[in-house]
Amino acid sequence: MTSAPLGLQGAYLLGERASHDELRSRLLDVAVNLLETDGPDSLTMRRIAAEAGCTTTVIYTMFGNREGLAEALYLEGFERFRRLLEAVPQRRNPLEHLHALGPAYRQACLGEPGYYSLMFERAIPGFEPSERARTLARAALNILDRVIADCISAGYLIPTQPRKIADALWAAAHGAISLERAGHLRDGRTYEAVTTATICCYLVDKP
């Protein structure tokens, strides 16, 4: 069966939605670039509107206030990370897939410094994500839990809660990334070492 034609009204609504999404994406890009280059004090509605070529009314309508904008940026960062991790090609072996997610996650962190600083380094003083935002943010990384669950089912990792292993791996990854971002590590070799070591801690001992 084929879907019914959209008609003029449906086509108009789709176009309106696309325009809304495009503007929202542009505003978030402008805001995160300002945060990265000029710091949190630059995140005023007037400055963002001037950079994006729109009115402050549009921004207030879309995000509510500065806190709403910060939360939108927070969630957008996790969504971008999710897309990068989901784009990692599937492996037939779940343990190989788990190892492949490591470099992709590091790439996401280093490739999106503005979002990273907001998500993990409190780049906007006083901003606290809501519980809903924290829940959605963690859910964006559920691919880790799923792949770890597959590794447990396949007998590669010890039987435990997948989230327990995911959180340990997450903590190890961010320790290395924070040092690398601060200039204490020159490349990703330490990141690879600590994430691999964390996975090895949970490997099933083969007889």
Side-chain angles (χ1 to χ4, degrees):
M1 293 179 62
T2 58
S3 59
L6 285 173
L8 289 177
Q9 184 179 10
Y12 171 78
L13 291 174
L14 280 178
E16 187 178 54
R17 178 64 186 178
S19 297
H20 176 278
D21 291 345
E22 182 181 348
L23 176 58
R24 185 178 188 278
S25 180
R26 187 164 83 249
L27 289 170
L28 292 177
D29 284 343
V30 166
V32 79
N33 287 335
L34 284 173
L35 177 64
E36 184 181 350
T37 58
D38 295 351
D41 290 342
S42 67
L43 292 184
T44 66
M45 300 304 191
R46 187 183 300 276
R47 178 77 183 275
I48 295 168
E51 296 283 341
C54 68
T55 65
T56 56
T57 302
V58 169
I59 304 176
Y60 280 113
T61 300
M62 198 164 288
F63 301 109
N65 53 27
R66 191 171 184 266
E67 187 78 7
L69 173 64
E71 187 146 302
L73 287 168
Y74 177 83
L75 290 172
E76 175 68 13
F78 278 100
E79 173 60 17
R80 291 187 180 209
F81 278 38
R82 184 196 66 78
R83 290 197 297 262
L84 278 170
L85 292 179
E86 294 283 0
V88 174
Q90 280 286 126
R91 269 70 168 177
R92 295 184 65 181
N93 183 313
L95 188 59
E96 290 180 3
H97 194 188
L98 181 60
H99 280 287
L101 291 174
Y105 189 75
R106 175 174 171 268
Q107 177 189 349
C109 292
L110 299 181
E112 298 279 8
Y115 281 111
Y116 181 92
S117 66
L118 173 64
M119 295 155 63
F120 302 114
E121 297 176 342
R122 296 183 178 272
I124 300 179
F127 168 64
E128 288 288 343
S130 66
E131 284 304 312
R132 172 182 173 277
R134 290 185 186 278
T135 299
L136 290 173
R138 187 59 182 82
L141 302 179
N142 275 350
I143 183 174
L144 276 177
D145 300 45
R146 297 199 306 270
V147 175
I148 288 169
D150 289 342
C151 289
I152 293 171
S153 296
Y156 291 110
L157 300 179
I158 62 173
T160 187
Q161 290 293 326
R163 176 65 60 87
K164 178 181 178 180
I165 301 176
D167 284 348
L169 189 55
W170 201 19
H174 279 285
I177 289 169
S178 295
L179 289 173
E180 187 173 354
R181 279 173 49 83
H184 299 298
L185 301 176
R186 295 184 178 181
D187 53 41
R189 285 180 293 182
T190 299
Y191 173 89
E192 182 180 358
V194 298
T195 51
T196 299
T198 301
I199 294 173
C200 287
C201 285
Y202 295 95
L203 287 176
V204 171
D205 292 328
K206 298 295 184 181

